[in-house]
Amino acid sequence: MSLTYWCERAWLPDGVADDVLVEIDGTRISRIEQGPPGSAERLPGLTIPGLANAHSHAFHRALRGTTQRGQGDFWTWRERMYEVAARLDPRSYQRLATAVYAEMALAGITCVGEFHYLHHDQGGRPYPDDPNAMGHALIRAARAAGLRITLLDTCYLSGGIGVPLSDVQLRFGDGDSERWAARAELLAAAYEGQPDVEIGAAIHSVRAVPPDQMPAVAEFSHRHAAPLHVHVSEQRAENTACVEMYAATPVQVLHERGALGPRSTAVHATHLTDVDIELLGQSGTYLCMCPTTERDLADGIGPARAAADRGARITLGSDSHAVIDLFEEARGMELNERLASSKRGHWPAADLLAAATGEGHTSLGFPDAGLLVPGAWADLVSVRLDSVRTAGASGLEAVVFAATAADVHSVVSGGRRVVAQGRHVLGDVAALLTEAIEELR
């Protein structure tokens, strides 16, 4: 089916243009030209490509507004997160994730990278009907909300360096990387040839995967030409324990085990050495920065600009979903650099938006998304330029440095209109979130 949208303004590869007609054939953009609207559907404001949320833990959304009381750090927050993880099953997880992904769609996100490690039933028992029941639930949720998904099936084998899994962590583990790979192969086979789903791999962290178990995960990524993501140096305590055990930083351990490269993404990358930055850059590894989560958990400010200068490519994620707003993540990366350096202007608005669009999609295995060009996925996100936040501003700076997710009024994802006039096709997303979260309490 062919559809045509007229964009009052649109961000094209060579800059912002007025009066842009975008013709869609099925799931793809078939033609782009400038001209009058005619009978085309009008999209006021500035239209940009769909955003890619490169790092998500869907069930963390249930923690929003509940972990900000009192004091603590990442590790106290993690205990609250485990309490939620202990309550989920495939049905409740699908219900929650559908609402979370719908919230993402309202924010202009058309593709999500779900870092998925909640694999098994209580006590680590595989679900009898399908060991990937939780993964299937997440994929059904993304499709219902109108998102493409890269399910980053995560290997998670230990509760810390040299520490066995315990309590709720038992739900995360497969025993060893070979058994993880066997289960992940079943998942990959189930979605082979389905264009809206990519099955990738993840090494949870050096805390959760011993070095001798990492090559099997990297091999899965190589065999399937699929993304490989890993939490890296989010906490100083992680670095200290890694150096004490392996006489190497987490980045060095991953490099030695073949886990870095142009299909790999280092998530967080908050506490890096100069050698780490050089290794990440030389290998062409992506860095996924999650500024709102780093602020919320008091993690720190990662050296994104230095890493990019060495060749690393930058993407963005909302991670714990303290906020789901990739505009906030994008400007947060720039504002963090300002705080750390006492200087302004580290990232042009176009570069920040590229991190949230094309770079993010490519890191998730969708290199044909994140640009408004013929042949690309038909993802159109239209942002109001007349709201109280954006009024009087213009161009990409208005979107990156002034707009919020609330200014997204229309989203076309893969040719499907999932948000119109700020409302999702599933209806009241706030009610869906409330019901799903209340069920877990």
Side-chain angles (χ1 to χ4, degrees):
M1 185 172 97
S2 180
L3 298 169
T4 303
Y5 292 93
W6 179 81
C7 308
E8 182 180 16
R9 308 195 80 196
W11 182 44
L12 303 178
D14 56 354
V16 175
D18 296 327
D19 305 326
V20 176
L21 287 161
V22 180
E23 186 175 296
I24 294 172
D25 188 5
T27 62
R28 302 282 173 163
I29 296 172
S30 58
R31 184 170 60 96
I32 295 180
E33 62 181 29
Q34 288 181 268
S39 61
E41 177 81 18
R42 295 178 181 234
L43 298 177
L46 178 61
T47 297
I48 61 175
L51 305 174
N53 189 349
H55 190 66
S56 163
H57 301 287
F59 73 92
H60 290 189
R61 174 62 179 82
L63 297 170
R64 185 186 297 176
T66 68
T67 59
Q68 281 75 23
R69 305 184 187 102
Q71 297 181 326
D73 55 17
F74 170 86
W75 308 102
T76 54
W77 170 88
R78 190 177 73 161
E79 292 307 310
R80 296 294 303 276
M81 180 267 285
Y82 283 168
E83 292 173 7
V84 175
R87 300 188 188 109
L88 287 161
D89 58 29
R91 185 197 62 79
S92 60
Y93 202 7
Q94 181 175 336
R95 187 181 187 192
L96 174 61
T98 298
V100 175
Y101 295 153
E103 182 183 357
M104 290 185 194
L106 287 172
I109 293 164
T110 57
C111 183
V112 61
E114 184 62 35
F115 201 99
H116 169 54
Y117 54 80
L118 186 49
H119 300 304
H120 305 300
D121 202 349
Q122 303 295 332
R125 296 183 300 276
Y127 286 99
D129 294 337
D130 191 324
N132 286 303
M134 292 292 251
H136 296 310
L138 289 165
I139 291 168
R140 288 193 295 269
R143 285 173 162 168
L147 273 61
R148 292 186 300 281
I149 184 170
T150 297
L151 192 73
L152 298 157
D153 197 282
T154 303
C155 187
Y156 196 131
L157 304 175
S158 57
I161 295 177
V163 179
L165 297 175
S166 62
D167 300 324
V168 70
Q169 294 174 337
L170 294 170
R171 301 190 69 179
F172 310 158
D174 289 289
D176 58 38
S177 60
E178 294 300 328
R179 279 177 279 184
W180 167 84
R183 184 182 51 72
E185 288 289 353
L186 293 174
L187 190 63
Y191 296 96
E192 185 176 0
Q194 300 188 30
D196 61 331
V197 176
E198 178 80 14
I199 303 300
I203 296 168
H204 180 274
S205 60
V206 295
R207 291 183 287 109
V209 182
D212 65 341
Q213 300 292 306
M214 293 177 181
V217 187
E219 174 57 29
F220 177 95
S221 168
H222 299 326
R223 186 164 58 252
H224 293 276
L228 172 62
H229 289 216
V230 54
H231 292 139
V232 174
S233 296
E234 184 177 3
Q235 295 290 318
R236 290 188 177 92
E238 172 187 319
N239 287 3
T240 299
C242 186
V243 171
E244 287 178 353
M245 178 62 73
Y246 306 123
T249 66
V251 169
Q252 290 171 319
V253 170
L254 292 163
H255 170 68
E256 292 165 1
R257 297 313 188 277
L260 302 182
R263 280 195 294 269
S264 298
T265 295
V267 181
H268 301 302
T270 309
H271 304 288
L272 302 179
T273 67
D274 290 342
V275 171
D276 294 340
I277 292 171
E278 199 65 36
L279 287 173
L280 291 166
Q282 289 181 0
S283 63
T285 298
Y286 289 89
L287 264 63
C288 181
M289 310 308 291
C290 306
T292 64
T293 292
E294 314 305 0
R295 292 200 303 254
D296 186 59
L297 299 183
D299 287 340
I301 298 172
R305 182 67 266 175
D309 290 342
R310 297 295 190 279
R313 299 166 70 178
I314 307 299
T315 67
L316 298 167
S318 63
D319 188 16
S320 68
H321 311 315
V323 175
I324 294 179
D325 186 337
L326 285 198
F327 304 138
E328 178 64 23
E329 304 294 347
R331 63 175 161 262
M333 190 164 65
E334 164 66 23
L335 298 179
N336 281 353
E337 291 281 354
R338 295 181 186 184
L339 288 174
S341 67
S342 300
K343 294 180 181 179
R344 304 175 78 234
H346 301 270
W347 307 88
D351 289 356
L352 294 171
L353 201 53
T357 55
E359 297 285 28
H361 286 285
T362 302
S363 77
L364 295 176
F366 291 97
D368 51 353
L371 289 172
L372 297 183
V373 296
W377 279 92
D379 299 342
L380 309 178
V381 172
S382 300
V383 184
R384 291 180 58 188
L385 295 180
D386 60 353
S387 74
V388 294
R389 290 165 292 277
T390 58
S394 63
L396 296 186
E397 288 74 18
V399 171
V400 174
F401 290 104
T404 72
D407 295 312
V408 173
H409 69 83
S410 174
V411 177
V412 178
S413 179
R416 174 189 174 195
R417 185 78 170 269
V418 295
V419 175
Q421 298 181 338
R423 185 171 177 83
H424 196 278
V425 292
L426 293 180
D428 187 343
V429 175
L432 295 176
L433 285 162
T434 299
E435 292 165 5
I437 292 168
E438 285 297 328
E439 182 180 345
L440 300 176
R441 290 178 176 163

